[in-house]
Structure formats: C-alpha cells, structure tokens
Amino acid sequence: MVLLSAQAMDVSEIARVTFTSEDRVRDVLHNFNLDGFDSLYPRYAGGRPPTFTLAQRREVRQLALSRPVDHDLPFSTWSLAKLADFLVAEGVVDDISHEGLRVLLREEGVSFQRLKTWKQSADPDFEAKKNRILHLYGLMDGTHDVEPGDPEVVICVDEFGPLNLQPHPGRLGSPRWWRRPTPAAAPGDLHPPPRRAPPAGGL
C-alpha cells in the first residue's frame, strides 16, 4: 500500500487493487507516516494471556527438579500425570493439563524424560547443598530473587572424568585413487596405480 501511494495512487484505487477497505488503507498510510518502516512489522500481542505467573512457573520448575521421596510420596520418579496432580493438590496451580505442563517445563528448560537409573547421595546435607546450588544457578539466570548474603559473582567448577573412546558406525574416507567400478572398467582399475621407478642416475 505504501508503495502504491508513493506512485500517486489515491486511497480508493489502492483499496480496489489490494482488495481491502479504504479505512484499512488510511490506517496503514497513517502508521507509516508516524513510525516509518517499523510500522510494516507490527508486534501483534493477540491470543490467550499467560495462564501462570512467574512465581508459579518457578515453583513448578523447582518441584519438577526435586525428588518425589522428598515430599513423602511413594514413588521415585515423576510422570506428567503425577506431577500435575501434585501441583493441584499442593495449590500451586488450580488446574493444568498434561500437555500444558509439558509445554511449561520445556519453556523453563526442563527436559522431562523417563529416568533409567537414579543415584542416591549418602551425604546427610545433600538436599540443602543441592538447593543452594540451584539457587545460585537461578541468580545467574535471573530466575531467582537476590537474598541477603548472596554473592555478587558465582564461579562454577565442575569435575570431568576420564574420556573413553567409543566406536560408532559411520563412513570412512576413501583414497583419491579409488573409483567406483564401471561396466567397462578392467579389474586392475580397482587397485592403486603402481609406483614409478626413479629415473636411472637420479640417485
């Protein structure tokens, strides 16, 4: 519409060419005169508003990363159904579907997968240390509020064990002299060319 207006076309003619109303053409041209090219890329904010608050999202993420046994539950791993029921029972949310919970966890960076093994720490202070580390991570990510005594700088140090070479199936590179056999190729064409003898007297 803006390009057509620059070609000296009036509003009625632009509306007829673009199959829209004259009011729509006037709105587009008016917005372009005010905001320039930024008006051509509007930021639509339609759709359903967010269902959960930031505090609810933080609590859902924290519960998803915790162990069910820490809440006196008779199972060792979460499922979407069990976690959704627990969130409603604890009053964290009024209602949440399994797919809605999956989407929320994905947005919060939690990969909700079935666990194959679980290693339990024998440290009696494991839970307090774990929550402290998660809180420090949250400070750096901006998802946790700063509390009195929290550091301004957090340095993460991780111990990485020895690496073991693991074979994986795949393709290997082939020498340049290799060529795929063709119907007219002789059997000797599939072997590398013989080395040439050095010229006499060259050594």
Side-chain angles (χ1 to χ4, degrees), residues 14-162:
I14 295 176
R16 181 178 57 82
V17 173
T18 57
F19 300 98
T20 187
S21 65
E22 296 183 5
D23 292 337
R24 172 60 179 167
V25 176
R26 292 189 182 95
D27 289 340
V28 171
L29 297 180
H30 178 71
N31 293 334
F32 182 79
N33 292 333
L34 290 178
D35 301 329
F37 287 99
D38 291 338
S39 65
L40 302 180
Y41 305 95
R43 299 179 180 89
Y44 296 108
R48 185 178 178 181
T51 306
F52 307 106
T53 63
L54 180 59
Q56 288 176 320
R57 287 176 170 269
R58 290 178 179 177
E59 192 165 358
V60 170
R61 184 178 188 275
Q62 184 176 359
L63 288 175
L65 295 175
S66 65
R67 297 174 301 174
V69 293
D70 297 334
H71 307 283
D72 298 328
L73 298 175
F75 44 87
S76 59
T77 59
W78 290 111
S79 66
L80 288 175
K82 294 177 181 178
L83 182 57
D85 294 341
F86 183 75
L87 293 173
V88 175
E90 291 295 312
V92 179
V93 296
D94 295 333
D95 187 24
I96 187 171
S97 64
H98 298 169
E99 184 60 26
L101 179 58
R102 187 194 307 275
V103 173
L104 189 151
L105 293 175
R106 187 185 304 117
E107 293 174 350
E108 293 298 320
V110 178
S111 177
F112 203 83
Q113 300 176 355
R114 184 180 300 274
L115 298 178
K116 296 182 179 179
T117 59
W118 185 270
K119 295 182 180 180
Q120 177 69 33
S121 175
D123 188 353
D125 299 328
F126 170 77
E127 193 66 23
K129 294 178 181 179
K130 182 198 71 173
N131 293 334
R132 177 58 176 170
I133 293 176
L134 294 177
H135 177 68
L136 294 176
Y137 282 157
L139 292 178
M140 297 299 98
D141 296 337
T143 58
H144 286 193
D145 297 329
V146 179
E147 299 178 357
D150 286 338
E152 297 181 358
V153 179
V154 176
I155 300 177
C156 298
V157 179
D158 190 11
E159 295 183 3
F160 197 79

